[in-house]
């Protein structure tokens, strides 16, 4: 046709474009310097002014841009069909959901459940998300069939009865009063977002299954871009400009550590004066402005995977990272384009749970179903009330433990609430909540008509779902509308907040509320919705926490074995877990050359430490020993040295193994083996080249063992904790620290090891001291007030001391107020 462009493909010749503006071209050098670790003066600055395309010069670019006509399709969803052989995906989903719900409820589906299921299915089908649900159902089913542990659920998807019916989540949303529209809102059409937690060690198997099912070119991890944050840009440019750390130290305190704060927002009068005194810092700052926000590297989204109905390179650009193709667009752009993003999340806690269940099954022959454990186990709630939550998901932090002791949870709803309220924002309501929960304060409601919504949380708005319910009850909002208002409040969309307020007040007055009451409640909604927590998410995570606590109470050995295995190399946590396991009366067994494996294992009389946990041995040497031993235990020290070469285990490692008492079963003490080590190694060298029968075994000369004090010090050095004994054990200890809570306000006397000394000044400028001490049962907190501070004298860390004092409570913790302390 006349004037039409018939060309569909053409070549454009241009320089390599490295910058959009000429003023930025100098800093291409800086990026190169950062990449190579260079400074100014190390090489000549290159002229990149020709590698620029100035988009403001329209006459140079219009001839090209006028030829480009790219349109992204709107409202298109690239959701693949779950199964091409299924004629009607909608009917298939409806059938699956109804069968699943009947199975969940033992074929007793009452009207409230059926109506909710039908309602959700209609919304899902009307919004075009049938295949989405079937795809998630399919890969969750794959995981369960292959014994890959799947979490109870996460996020707003837990509010879906369809998800519960399909086995995608394990939580009944009606039982916990969860709202579907918090997950999928028919009045705000966006892609659904079902996040699934998998056993961290096996998550990739699920992704690989999805890749095989839907096609290699249709499934991809999502790219992320790392950018230069403000402080990082400053440091990088300072290095290029040869600015030393001392000089840079004058500027850095004025640069906000929040990576979202821009460099320019840090300029104030103090910074300007600093620039006058140090021009090099001003130069550094101004040049860093050019680098701030620039992409510096690519990464892979921790959980996000895209699944498409067509080959991804037909829809979006892809980037090859050396191992696989990634989407060149980030998560936000992909959703705007209608591509299906799935989050395959991994939680180490699920790996721990999965391994404990495997241990139980291996020993008992039965598989424990955590979905069927009672949620009213008194021992579990005692654990939470005592804050005995080391290793328990979401409840392990010191602050959370403190909160638990005050709260003393008695039922599952308390755990749900604890996860929701213990966060910045709602934490301000903790004291009020605890007083009402424990009966020391009256429960009040913004209005008595809201009692059924707020009764579980003692009149306080904690959950986003409560906000939505109040908007619905008083203001006649649909749940879909209520969710839009909730989002508007959290995103500070003032215009929408005000228009919703007018509607709320108008409808509330029609519903019999006074205008003042309506305004009062709406103001509360705005206040609480800003930090209200998603109850669906809180319920799901409370389930995981309860499951872990249940396993800790009923299977403590397997619990601690798996906590320890999940933390090999982490000395502080390992010590905590070892100390905790001792509280449960679990014996800790030293590493053994014939019994230890790569990881901690359960034996009849306790937990056996692995060779890996010995400082200085290393994973390679430890694993080599286990591999060489195989199913044939070492008969004696000669057999060990004949089978394990110097290449596998060098002399230094051998000495450490001896110090760790790994060869105790061969009948020699440590000093004897070390005394004869050179002779034994010579023997090993000879039999490496000759037939073993031709070489006589050297005689081992026995020498005395070291004192117990020396042995304990070696133990502490090699493991970071005491195993066989505790320095205080040789003294008749009248009071064990494990019993501290049972002796409130009583006088005590005992012998302890000093582990930490913290001297402070009082308001009167007097010295007082907080100490951490331990015995073989536990650690304890001690305080020495100014009137007794002179008793501290020459006492230092690692001293053994005799203490007299009184058990007190400081805030929510028990401590011993020292009246007498004396070095033993």
């Amino acid at each position: 046709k006349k004037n039409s462009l018939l060309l569909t493909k053409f070549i454009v010749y241009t320089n390599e474009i490295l910058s959009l503006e000429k003023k930025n071209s100098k800093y291409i050098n800086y990026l190169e310097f950062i990449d190579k670790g260079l400074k100014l003066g190390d090489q000549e600055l290159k002229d990149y002014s020709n590698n620029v395309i100035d988009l403001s010069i329209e006459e140079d670019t219009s001839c090209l841009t006028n030829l480009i006509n790219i349109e992204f399709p709107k409202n298109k969803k690239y959701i693949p069909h779950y199964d091409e052989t299924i004629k009607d995906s909608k009917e298939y989903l409806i059938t699956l959901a109804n069968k699943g719900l009947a199975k969940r409820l033992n074929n007793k589906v009452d009207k409230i459940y059926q109506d909710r299921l039908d309602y959700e299915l209609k919304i899902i089908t009307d919004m075009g998300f049938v295949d989405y649900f079937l795809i998630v159902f399919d890969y969750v089913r794959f995981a369960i069939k292959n014994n890959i542990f799947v979490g109870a659920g996460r996020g707003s998807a837990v509010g879906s009865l369809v998800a519960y019916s399909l086995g995608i989540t394990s939580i009944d949303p009606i039982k916990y009063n969860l709202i579907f529209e918090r997950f999928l809102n028919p009045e705000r059409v966006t892609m659904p977002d079902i996040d699934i937690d998998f056993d961290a060690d096996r998550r990739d198997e699920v992704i690989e299954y999805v890749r095989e099912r839907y096609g290699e070119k249709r499934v991809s991890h999502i790219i992320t871009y790392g950018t230069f944050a403000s402080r990082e840009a400053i440091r990088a440019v300072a290095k290029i400009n040869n600015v030393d750390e001392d000089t840079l130290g004058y500027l850095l305190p004025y640069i906000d550590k929040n990576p979202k704060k821009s460099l320019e927002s840090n300029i104030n009068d103090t910074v300007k004066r600093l620039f006058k005194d140090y021009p090099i810092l001003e130069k550094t700052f101004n040049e860093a402005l050019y680098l701030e926000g620039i992409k510096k590297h690519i990464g892979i989204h921790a959980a996000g995977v895209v699944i498409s109905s067509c080959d991804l390179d037909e829809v979006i650009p892809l980037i090859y990272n050396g191992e696989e193709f990634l989407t060149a667009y980030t998560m936000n752009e992909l959703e705007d384009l209608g591509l299906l993003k799935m989050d395959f999340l991994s939680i180490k806690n699920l790996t721990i749970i999965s391994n404990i269940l495997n241990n139980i099954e291996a020993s008992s022959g039965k598989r424990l179903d955590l979905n069927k454990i009672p949620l009213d186990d008194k021992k579990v709630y005692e654990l939470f009330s005592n804050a005995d939550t080391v290793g328990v998901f979401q409840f392990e932090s010191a602050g959370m433990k403190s909160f638990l002791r005050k709260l003393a949870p008695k039922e599952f709803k308390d755990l749900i609430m604890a996860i929701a309220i213990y966060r910045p924002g709602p934490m301000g309501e903790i004291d009020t909540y605890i007083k009402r929960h424990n009966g020391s304060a009256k429960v009040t409601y913004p209005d008595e008509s809201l009692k059924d919504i707020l009764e579980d949380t003692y009149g306080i708005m904690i959950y986003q779902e409560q906000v939505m319910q109040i908007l619905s009850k008083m203001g006649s909002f649909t749940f879909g509308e209520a969710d839009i208002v909730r989002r508007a409040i959290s995103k500070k969309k003032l215009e929408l907040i005000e228009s919703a307020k007018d509607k709320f007040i108008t409808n509330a007055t029609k519903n019999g509320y006074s205008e003042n009451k309506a305004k009062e409640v709406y103001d509360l909604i705005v206040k609480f919705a800003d930090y209200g927590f998603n109850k669906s998410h809180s319920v799901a995570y409370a389930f995981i926490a309860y499951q872990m606590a249940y396993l800790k109470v009923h299977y403590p050995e397997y619990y601690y074995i798996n906590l320890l295995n999940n933390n090999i190399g982490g000395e502080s946590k390992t010590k905590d877990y070892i100390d905790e396991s001792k509280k449960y009366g679990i014996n800790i067994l030293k590493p053994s050359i014939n019994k230890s494996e790569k990881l901690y294992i359960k034996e009849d009389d306790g937990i056996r430490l692995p060779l890996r946990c010995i400082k200085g041995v290393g994973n390679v040497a430890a694993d080599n020993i286990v591999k060489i031993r195989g199913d044939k235990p070492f008969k004696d020290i000669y057999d060990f040295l004949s089978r394990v070469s110097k290449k596998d285990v060098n002399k230094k490692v051998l000495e450490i193994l001896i110090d760790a008492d790994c060869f105790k079963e061969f009948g020699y003490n440590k000093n004897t083996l070390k005394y004869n080590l050179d002779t034994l190694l010579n023997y090993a060298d000879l039999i490496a080249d000759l037939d073993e029968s031709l070489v006589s075994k050297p005689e081992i000369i026995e020498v005395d063992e070291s004192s117990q004090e020396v042995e304990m010090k070696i133990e502490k050095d090699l493991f970071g904790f005491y195993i066989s004994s505790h320095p205080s054990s040789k003294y008749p200890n009248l009071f064990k620290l494990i019993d501290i809570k049972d002796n409130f306000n009583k006088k005590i006397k005992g012998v302890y090891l000093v582990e930490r000394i913290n001297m402070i000044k009082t308001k009167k400028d007097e010295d007082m001291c907080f100490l951490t001490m331990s015995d073989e049962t536990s650690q304890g907190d001690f305080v020495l007030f100014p009137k007794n501070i002179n008793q501290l004298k020459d006492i230092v860390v690692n001293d053994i001391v005799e203490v007299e004092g009184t058990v007190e409570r400081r805030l929510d913790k028990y401590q011993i107020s020292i009246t007498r302390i004396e070095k033993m």
Side-chain angles (χ1 to χ4, degrees), residues 383-394:
L383 177 146
F384 280 109
S385 294
N386 293 329
D388 188 14
T389 50
V390 167
V392 175
F393 182 60
Q394 298 284 305

Side-chain angles (χ1 to χ4, degrees), residues 432-446:
T432 302
Y433 183 94
I434 288 172
K435 287 175 184 176
R436 293 182 178 185
H437 173 266
N438 294 337
S440 59
K442 184 182 177 183
V443 177
T444 59
Y445 300 96

Side-chain angles (χ1 to χ4, degrees), residues 138 241-242 354 418 426 494 531 561 617 703 784 798:
D138 179 57
N241 279 294
N242 292 287
S354 178
L494 300 179
Y531 57 65
I561 283 170
V617 170
V703 298
L784 196 61
N798 290 326

Side-chain angles (χ1 to χ4, degrees), residues 438-501:
N438 294 337
S440 59
K442 184 182 177 183
V443 177
T444 59
Y445 300 96
D447 188 86
E448 280 299 313
S449 66
L450 304 178
K451 182 178 179 179
D452 59 331
I453 297 172
L454 299 175
E455 191 169 21
D456 271 356
T457 53
Y458 303 100
I460 302 167
M461 286 185 223
I462 291 175
Y463 306 120
Q464 294 169 355
E465 286 85 345
Q466 290 174 318
V467 169
M468 293 169 66
Q469 288 169 312
I470 294 170
L471 285 166
S472 173
K473 183 160 189 170
M474 287 184 66
S476 299
F477 284 70
T478 65
F479 279 138
E481 291 171 329
D483 189 52
I484 291 170
V485 175
R486 176 198 63 78
R487 284 174 58 86
I489 293 170
S490 66
K491 294 183 178 295
K492 307 290 192 296
K493 293 184 176 179
L494 300 179
E495 190 174 331
L496 209 163
I497 293 169
E498 284 303 312
S499 64
K501 181 177 183 178

Side-chain angles (χ1 to χ4, degrees), residues 116-353:
R116 170 76 171 258
L117 188 72
D118 294 343
Y119 167 73
E120 287 190 19
L121 285 167
K122 183 177 187 309
I123 290 177
I124 289 165
T125 53
D126 287 351
M127 294 178 75
F129 296 131
V130 167
D131 284 299
Y132 176 95
F133 273 80
L134 290 173
I135 289 166
V136 180
F137 151 77
D138 179 57
Y139 64 67
V140 170
R141 179 178 59 175
F142 164 82
I144 293 169
K145 280 185 175 181
N146 288 275
N147 291 320
I148 299 170
F149 196 81
V150 183
R154 153 193 292 245
S156 56
V158 178
S160 167
L161 189 64
V162 171
Y164 176 65
S165 302
L166 295 176
I168 292 170
T169 65
S170 305
I171 293 158
D172 178 347
I174 292 177
K175 180 180 179 181
Y176 294 100
N177 206 13
L178 307 178
I179 299 174
F180 176 69
E181 288 82 357
R182 175 62 185 84
F183 164 59
L184 204 58
N185 189 344
E187 297 174 54
R188 181 181 55 83
V189 180
T190 55
M191 295 289 272
D193 190 13
I194 300 179
D195 300 336
I196 307 290
D197 294 317
F198 295 100
D199 174 345
D201 288 348
R202 301 189 65 190
R203 181 193 76 131
D204 289 345
E205 293 178 45
V206 185
I207 296 174
E208 191 53 38
Y209 166 76
V210 172
R211 202 188 300 272
E212 288 175 6
R213 179 173 175 86
Y214 297 101
E216 190 78 25
K217 295 186 73 176
R218 299 186 177 193
V219 178
S220 172
H221 283 99
I222 298 171
I223 203 166
T224 59
Y225 291 99
T227 59
F228 283 100
S230 54
R231 289 172 70 90
E232 191 178 14
I234 286 280
R235 283 194 171 279
V237 175
K239 185 176 179 181
I240 291 170
N241 279 294
N242 292 287
V243 179
D244 61 78
E245 277 294 320
D246 289 342
T247 304
L248 186 60
Y250 293 122
L251 174 61
L252 285 177
Y254 298 102
I255 308 299
D256 200 304
K257 290 183 179 180
N258 184 348
K260 294 181 180 179
K261 287 283 188 76
S262 69
L263 271 175
E264 282 188 310
S265 68
N266 293 281
I267 296 177
N268 55 35
D269 291 340
T270 305
V271 173
K272 288 176 182 176
R273 287 196 296 272
L274 185 67
F275 286 164
K276 285 183 179 179
D277 294 335
Y278 296 93
I280 188 61
L281 291 180
E282 183 176 21
K283 178 178 186 287
T284 297
F285 185 94
N286 290 334
E287 291 180 342
L289 293 171
Y290 288 93
L291 296 191
E292 185 183 18
I294 287 179
K295 294 179 175 65
K296 58 174 182 166
H297 64 255
I298 63 171
I300 298 177
H301 190 281
V305 173
V306 164
I307 305 173
S308 172
S309 57
C310 63
D311 287 356
L312 282 164
D313 57 4
E314 294 178 12
V315 186
I316 57 169
L318 300 177
I319 288 179
Y320 188 65
N321 72 347
E323 295 181 2
E324 62 177 313
F325 283 101
L326 309 175
T327 66
Y329 293 155
T330 61
M331 181 175 65
N332 295 332
E333 290 89 12
L334 293 170
E335 290 177 346
D336 291 342
L337 290 171
L339 282 159
L340 184 63
K341 176 186 76 73
M342 300 284 195
D343 278 337
F344 295 77
L345 296 132
S346 60
I347 298 183
K348 277 290 181 184
N349 298 81
L350 295 190
T351 305
I352 291 169
I353 293 172

